Amino acid sequence: MTFTPDGLATRPAQTWGSIRLVPLVRDEPVPHLRLDRRVYDDPSVVDVGDGTYYTSYIPHAFVARWEAAGEPAAAYGTRLLARDDRGAAPPCMPITVRRRMARRVARDRLRFLPLHLAVEGYLALHFGGPEIMWEAWSRRALTRGLSPRTEETYLGLHVPGLEEALGVFEIHPGQCGVLVYVADALASAFVVPHPDDYRALHATLVHDLFGEQIYQYGLLGAPARDMAVRVDGTAVRSLKDLRAQAELRRDEWAAFHDEVMAAGLFGADRTLQEVQYLNGFTLGRFLPAFAPGRENHIGETIVDAETGRTAYLKTFRLSENQVRRGYLLTRLAAHDWRLEAAAPDLGTDAAGLALRLERAGFGDLLRQDVLDHYRAAARGGGEKPRRAGRAGRADR
């Protein structure tokens, strides 16, 4: 599927240092759907429903389940206890366990965690690991898969200039969304069904998640390029002519933005997974094609099932390292996790692929002796390991 900005019009951008915000407006709000915000003051662990738990925030401490309280908690600091020490638990803060990423909380209400729904989809990518007991993979990879998977993100508060930009930018009449650029790199998109929803949620962009690449661009502080357009003064003889020239330049900017600057979002192929259906609307999340060297966005949408209009959209741009990990996993899965079969597709040999997996953070999934052989083969001083064979299914 591809995402198209049907029903949304691009308006002139506003810039503040390296931050560029491009407003998206609707002629008419999407009927029968509104969004609001529910604030949670404590750290959360989400029960995904299949025995997997997703932790969206962990303080600088260990997370433990204290028998006295019966609920999980985050301790302020860490201490060592004897096995039979039943003394008082250290001071801690409660952690709320929430059921599922998207959950119906009333007949007409659906609660979901913005962006976390999309991030969980990325973390769950081929989460189970190899299904066949190929020789190269360790027992841990066969029994536990890619558990746990972790990724680092940054709050919008930590992206230099974003908070100030949101405070000084004006909200357009009818604005229902925005595209956020940092140093002219598309960082995220945010769309809601109604202008009142956007006014209420505009400031929450500082609590959104941003990737390492966007954070680094913000640190560099490179100013956004000057894209101001010039009106042809020779064609202006009246206010009507001036209005026509202004509308022409606005339409030219919108076309350039949608076809060039936002092409990585609007024109890219992606796979969509439907998560929940409620009263004529479908909540889903999408993954990109994981094309190295290009923009790759994950995200979530709410779509009017009857008209196909996008009522809600929120995206997250993956860093190059995250794209590389997703690409490696999809290529491996396409070749049944056989290193020697997947390596030519990735332009390398089995030893080179094993070392790429290690650099991507998946080295502990390979058997240590096999990885050592591949390291030696890459140095040219070792013997190539024997061909992996099919030994049967893993005991999952």
Side-chain angles (χ1 to χ4, degrees):
M1 62 153 298
T2 57
F3 168 72
T4 56
D6 293 339
L8 294 166
T10 302
R11 289 294 180 259
Q14 302 176 69
T15 59
W16 178 268
S18 63
I19 306 297
R20 187 191 303 274
L21 297 190
V22 178
L24 301 174
V25 302
R26 297 186 191 273
D27 292 333
E28 295 181 359
V30 176
H32 314 306
L33 181 69
R34 299 295 299 273
L35 295 179
D36 61 10
R37 183 186 183 202
R38 181 174 298 181
V39 179
Y40 296 116
D41 295 326
D42 48 4
S44 298
V45 173
V46 181
D47 182 357
V48 178
D50 60 354
T52 302
Y53 291 86
Y54 170 90
T55 305
S56 62
Y57 168 76
I58 298 181
H60 296 286
F62 283 94
V63 176
R65 183 180 297 272
W66 300 108
E67 296 296 337
E71 297 292 341
Y76 295 110
T78 307
R79 66 177 184 175
L80 298 175
L81 298 175
R83 183 183 297 248
D84 57 350
D85 190 341
R86 299 186 180 275
C92 58
M93 71 171 70
I95 293 179
T96 302
V97 177
R98 310 196 188 280
R99 293 174 54 193
R100 298 185 176 274
M101 289 291 181
R103 180 169 177 250
R104 189 176 298 194
V105 294
R107 293 183 61 186
D108 60 346
R109 291 178 183 271
L110 180 69
R111 193 244 338 137
F112 64 96
L113 305 178
L115 269 187
H116 296 276
L117 185 68
V119 172
E120 188 235 356
Y122 172 72
L123 291 176
L125 182 67
H126 304 297
F127 185 80
E131 294 185 357
I132 299 173
M133 197 178 298
W134 301 114
E135 183 183 62
W137 301 97
S138 69
R139 174 62 60 179
R140 174 188 179 280
L142 297 168
T143 57
R144 296 177 54 190
L146 283 78
S147 175
R149 281 285 305 279
T150 61
E151 293 290 343
E152 291 186 357
T153 61
Y154 295 83
L155 282 178
L157 286 168
H158 300 150
V159 178
L162 180 59
E163 185 176 13
E164 295 89 341
L166 293 172
V168 301
F169 284 176
E170 297 180 358
I171 297 178
H172 280 243
Q175 183 170 351
C176 290
V178 67
L179 272 69
V180 180
Y181 291 82
V182 180
D184 280 328
L186 179 55
S188 68
F190 177 45
V191 175
V192 294
H194 196 283
D196 290 346
D197 298 343
Y198 183 80
R199 287 183 176 274
L201 299 173
H202 172 78
T204 65
L205 287 167
V206 297
H207 298 295
D208 279 352
L209 305 179
F210 292 88
E212 179 185 8
Q213 181 178 1
I214 298 302
Y215 171 72
Q216 290 178 349
Y217 284 176
L219 288 179
L220 292 175
R225 289 173 293 176
D226 182 10
M227 294 185 179
V229 296
R230 301 289 183 266
V231 172
D232 183 6
T234 62
V236 177
R237 294 291 182 269
S238 64
L239 287 176
K240 181 179 180 180
D241 294 339
L242 181 60
R243 184 178 297 109
Q245 284 291 314
E247 291 176 352
L248 176 63
R249 298 297 180 265
R250 184 190 67 187
D251 294 343
E252 289 176 348
W253 153 255
F256 168 76
H257 171 268
D258 295 350
E259 296 173 8
V260 179
M261 294 186 66
L265 175 64
F266 291 155
D269 290 332
R270 53 182 59 88
T271 57
L272 178 69
Q273 177 190 8
E274 295 185 359
V275 176
Q276 190 91 17
Y277 179 85
L278 179 66
N279 297 342
F281 292 92
T282 302
L283 171 67
R285 62 188 176 199
F286 58 82
L287 291 172
F290 295 108
R294 295 171 51 187
E295 286 184 32
N296 288 262
H297 300 262
I298 62 174
E300 56 206 21
T301 63
I302 297 178
V303 177
D304 187 326
E306 182 176 347
T307 66
R309 290 179 69 187
T310 299
Y312 164 80
L313 172 71
K314 190 175 280 287
T315 68
F316 174 91
R317 180 169 178 168
L318 298 173
S319 68
E320 271 303 311
N321 287 334
Q322 291 168 330
V323 173
R324 190 177 301 112
R325 287 193 284 271
Y327 180 66
L328 286 173
L329 291 180
T330 54
R331 292 294 85 209
L332 279 170
H335 292 280
D336 293 329
W337 296 82
R338 290 180 297 170
L339 295 182
E340 294 186 358
D345 188 26
L346 293 166
T348 184
D349 56 12
L353 177 54
L355 297 182
R356 285 178 65 175
L357 288 170
E358 184 182 27
R359 290 192 297 269
F362 299 135
D364 58 346
L365 297 178
L366 297 171
R367 279 175 41 192
Q368 188 61 48
D369 61 320
V370 172
L371 186 57
D372 289 341
H373 272 291
Y374 282 133
R375 287 174 181 155
R379 293 193 300 267
E383 194 178 294
K384 191 173 181 181
R386 56 194 174 88
R387 186 179 183 87
R390 189 178 190 134
R393 290 203 165 265
D395 184 12
R396 303 304 301 273

